[in-house]
């Protein structure tokens, strides 16, 4: 239960950084909210690889490696998107910094979720 509360708290902190980067009156542009799409699609390759891959005892599988590759691409794109928006002056650099901080916290939260609940024990995300 403590891990779930900690992950919820860190997710709320990450989303707060994202909302501050959008909603502060000085910044006032909501383009960085498109980063939410990356948050939602980030775990999908892992879920697909987990479902397709039958060799859970193998050290490496092509499906799992492809899922890591796609997940890395999604995470890098999520960090690159606000930088590109700031570079073309669609958002201010301060908003970019807040969104990047939110990205770091949210992706570490997603990683923590898979580390805590992805072990396959009695209390795991596979049952949900």
């Amino acid at each position: 239960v403590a891990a779930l509360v900690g992950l919820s708290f860190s997710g709320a902190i990450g989303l707060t950084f994202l909302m501050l980067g959008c909603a502060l009156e000085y910044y006032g542009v909501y383009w960085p909210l498109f980063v939410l799409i990356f948050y939602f699609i980030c775990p999908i390759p892992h879920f697909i690889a987990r479902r397709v891959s039958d060799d859970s005892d193998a050290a490496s599988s092509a499906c799992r490696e492809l899922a890591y590759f796609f997940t890395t691409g999604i995470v890098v794109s999520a960090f690159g998107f606000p930088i590109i928006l700031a570079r073309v002056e669609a958002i201010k650099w301060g908003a970019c910094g807040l969104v990047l901080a939110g990205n770091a916290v949210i992706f570490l939260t997603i990683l923590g979720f898979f580390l805590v609940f992805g072990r396959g024990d009695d209390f795991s995300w596979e049952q949900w």
Side-chain angles (χ1 to χ4, degrees), residues 24-107:
L24 286 177
E25 187 176 339
Y26 179 69
Y27 304 131
V29 178
Y30 289 91
W31 287 108
L33 282 180
F34 282 108
V35 173
L36 289 172
I37 295 169
F38 295 111
Y39 297 161
F40 290 121
I41 65 173
C42 176
I44 291 175
H46 180 73
F47 290 147
I48 293 172
R50 187 84 115 159
R51 183 66 81 171
V52 171
S53 172
D54 291 333
D55 53 349
S56 61
D57 59 342
S60 176
S61 78
C63 186
R64 193 175 312 136
E65 296 296 326
L66 186 64
Y68 292 156
F69 177 76
F70 284 140
T71 302
T72 303
I74 292 167
V75 171
V76 168
S77 298
F79 279 97
F81 182 67
I83 294 172
I84 291 172
L85 285 177
R87 180 82 173 127
V88 298
E89 297 178 1
I91 64 173
K92 295 185 181 351
W93 282 102
C96 177
L98 287 169
V99 173
L100 291 176
N103 280 349
V105 173
I106 290 291
F107 285 122

Side-chain angles (χ1 to χ4, degrees), residues 113-126:
F113 178 80
F114 283 113
L115 291 177
V116 170
F117 296 109
R119 285 177 276 176
D121 55 357
D122 292 338
F123 183 69
S124 71
W125 58 270
E126 294 169 343

